[in-house]
Each structure stands twice: as structure tokens, then as C-alpha cells.
Amino acid sequence: MAKCFSFTATRDWCFRLSFSNAGLQSTTSDLGDGTVMHSWIPKARKENKPNLLLIHGVGANAMWQWADFIRPLIARFNVYVPDLVFFGDSYTTRPERSESFQAQCVMRMMEGHGVSRMNVVGISYGGFVAYRIAEQFPAEVERSVLCCAGVCLEEKDMEAGMFQVSSVEDATSILLPQTPEKVRELMRISFAKPINTMPSCFLNDFIDVMCTEHLQERRELIMALHKDRKLSNVPKITQPTLIIWGELDRVFPLELAHRLKRHIGENAELVIIKNAGHAINAEKPKELCKYLKSFLIHPLPPQNGKSSNGNKTD
């Protein structure tokens, strides 16, 4: 019997409505090389407001990850929320899978919308992309915020036992879940206090709607992050940068936050959110939004190697 109701599809529709009611419109940009980018952009951009680019991580589309942040931020910024390639309605026929390629696609899309100067926020995988945007387009990026983004991980970290999984293949099976148990496992490592009572019927519905399209391509994106990755090959960015991390992150452990802070140097500030895991946008949206607005509206100078809660970051 055909399924007549989808909780996930209904929630997705509600997100679309909320984005539209907040003042954003859904647009699709054909980049002309086999790549199509979908994004939410301002219905009416205001020249007196700074531009803010929000980049999502692996998982559902951009709306699901940034829904709690649109209304608090749109009053102060022209907000742009793209779906990365192979998420939402964005895709490519090209073979590239690197975060650098994602960065180039996002910036070509932004250029098409007439945006040449912006602040960039990226969470998890989106933080990898945000870092590459700041590196490759330094004149366009004023400030960057990197949330729980293991930019400075190395391929050898997996073998050294830093992560909850023993191989990148195990990681992809959790990050791109295809069974209810894998969704529960993802929640266990992503949240400090995971919900353990979600019925399998809801989880299967979420998988069907959000986790099956472009599955192989998404696996290749994750594999590309890890393959031959060395800290010595990661360029340093020069923009003022805020690093935000969940104290109990088990996807990208806190050591990677300190490593990223050391790598960027004096231009970076580290904030550690207590009692939060990897999914800080879902667990601590108000606290995360507070730090975003404080840094982006009233930027503070780096605090001599200290985090905002007074703990040493080195």
C-alpha cells in the first residue's frame, strides 16, 4: 500500500513556508557546467545590511539545519542559505567531490546574485566549505565562523583512534544512515542528550525522504574529506575567525577545535559550548545564535589564546 502521509515531507514543507514568511525566496542557479545550485536568498536585499552566508553540514537539506536561525539573523543581515552540491535541489554532473569544488560552486552562485562581500558561517561539513571559501576568496570574505568543523583532521587520526569509528567507511554508514538503527547511532554520537524514543516508522520516513537521493555521491564527498588529508597541506586563513565547538562533540572531538585555533593563530577565537555535542545548531540554537550575532555584529579581537569561558585553548 502506498504511503499517504510523510511526517518528513510535511516538516520540509513547513520549513519552506517559514523561510518564505521570513523574507527569503527559493532560487535555482544554473552555473553552466552541469552544476545547478539551489539557494534561499533575500526577496529584497538591503544595501545597508551586511551579507551573511550560512552553509549546512551533511544530513538533511539546508532548511533543516538553519531553520532556527533565520528570523534572529535576518533583521541584521541579508541572509543567503544554499544547498551544497548533492543536497536539496543542488547537483552536478562533474566528477569533482572536494570541499574546494563546493566552495567554488557556492561563490559562483553568490556572484550570480550580485554579492561580492560577505560573512561566512559553516557548520560541520559546511565548515570545511566555509574555510575553503575564506582561503580561496579572501577579498570577498570579511569574517568567518567555523562550527564543529574538523578542518585540521588528518588521515592518520582515524588510525590513532581519535574518532568513534575505526574507518571512513564506518563513518559514512552512520553519517548517511540507511536504517533506523544507524539514525539512532548518528543521534547518539551527535547529541549530548540524544532522543532515544523515536519510532522506527518516523526514522524510515526520514531516510526515504532525506537520505536516499545522491547517496553514492555523498559518500564520495565524505571520502574526499579524509583521503590523504594532512595538516601541513591546509592553508591558513587570514580573516577574523570565530571557532565554536560543542564541549562533548564525539563526531569531531574537541582536540580538533584546539588544533584549528593553533593553526589559524592570532586571528581566531575559540568558544566552547558546555553540555553540547556535535549538533550544536539543534541542541543549543539560542546560545549559538548569541555568539554568531556578537561576533558578526560587534567583532571582538582575539583574546590572547583564551576561549570565551576563560579556559586556555592551547
Side-chain angles (χ1 to χ4, degrees), residues 168-221:
V168 69
E169 289 80 10
D170 289 342
T172 57
S173 72
I174 298 172
L175 295 173
L176 304 171
Q178 297 300 297
T179 66
E181 183 49 46
K182 286 297 182 183
V183 177
R184 295 186 182 100
E185 190 172 353
L186 176 60
M187 294 176 70
R188 283 195 293 269
I189 68 170
S190 299
F191 290 80
K193 296 180 179 179
I195 300 172
N196 297 314
T197 57
M198 189 68 70
S200 292
C201 60
F202 284 100
L203 300 181
N204 277 319
D205 178 59
F206 178 80
I207 292 167
D208 289 343
V209 176
M210 289 292 167
C211 303
T212 56
E213 193 171 12
H214 300 304
L215 178 59
Q216 180 56 35
E217 291 85 353
R218 293 184 188 184
R219 286 173 176 154
E220 292 166 2
L221 294 176

Side-chain angles (χ1 to χ4, degrees), residues 5 14 45-46 53 68 82 105 134 153 190 234 238 287 305:
F5 175 79
C14 290
R45 188 173 72 190
K46 297 183 178 179
L53 175 62
D68 290 333
C105 292
L153 70 84
S190 299
V234 178
T238 58
E287 193 169 349

Side-chain angles (χ1 to χ4, degrees), residues 64-65 68-69 123 191 278-285 288:
W64 287 65
Q65 299 186 38
D68 290 333
F69 298 84
I123 187 163
F191 290 80
H278 184 69
I280 55 175
N281 56 323
E283 283 194 299
K284 302 284 186 175
L288 177 57

